[in-house]
Amino acid sequence: MVHKNTISRYERELTVPDAEALARICERYSVNPVWLLTGSGPRHDIGGLLAHGECPLDETLLRDALLTVEQVMDEAERCLPAEKKAQLIHSIYELFRAHGKDLDKRLVQNLIRAAS
């Protein structure tokens, strides 16, 4: 379970949830993970897929995308608003799904620069 104070810190952009926290939020509140990350698509998991353990996201790949974005942003000393950061994480996740997670780090750096 995700504590309400933790959710409040996410909403106020004081902290960013990791992939495991995102999965718990999606499961607890029946929220569509794509909507949670990007704001697109249906807000709720209407079909109840998450409640039955059938998460449409690859949690490991999502965690890798999140960690990659965080690492590159730290190295570049960049900061993004939560919405742009979520869009960036979604883009990296989709790139990982399409091309594998061993992308050239310069591509991620260029995407972060473009988002800034």
Side-chain angles (χ1 to χ4, degrees):
M1 182 167 187
V2 181
H3 195 275
K4 66 181 179 178
N5 290 341
T6 302
I7 299 286
S8 176
R9 285 194 302 272
Y10 297 155
E11 291 173 339
R12 291 180 290 149
E13 298 179 16
L14 298 176
T15 188
V16 177
D18 61 19
E20 290 175 22
L22 288 171
R24 286 194 308 269
I25 291 168
C26 290
E27 184 177 340
R28 169 69 174 97
Y29 298 102
S30 296
V31 173
N32 176 346
V34 173
W35 174 85
L36 186 61
L37 287 170
T38 68
S40 63
R43 180 177 182 173
H44 292 284
D45 178 34
I46 298 169
L49 294 175
L50 297 174
H52 295 94
E54 298 176 24
C55 184
L57 288 177
D58 179 329
E59 291 180 35
T60 302
L61 207 54
L62 176 59
R63 182 179 303 112
D64 291 343
L66 179 62
L67 291 173
T68 299
V69 169
E70 290 293 335
Q71 178 186 7
V72 172
M73 286 181 60
D74 285 347
E75 290 171 2
E77 297 181 353
R78 301 243 180 188
C79 187
L80 291 173
E83 184 175 323
K84 280 191 174 188
K85 192 176 200 178
Q87 291 171 344
L88 179 62
I89 292 167
H90 179 255
S91 296
I92 299 299
Y93 172 80
E94 290 298 324
L95 283 170
F96 281 2
R97 281 183 49 188
H99 304 286
K101 65 180 185 177
D102 295 324
L103 290 177
D104 186 341
K105 198 173 193 177
R106 290 175 295 180
L107 174 62
V108 178
Q109 291 167 337
N110 289 339
L111 287 170
I112 289 173
R113 275 197 281 292
S116 299

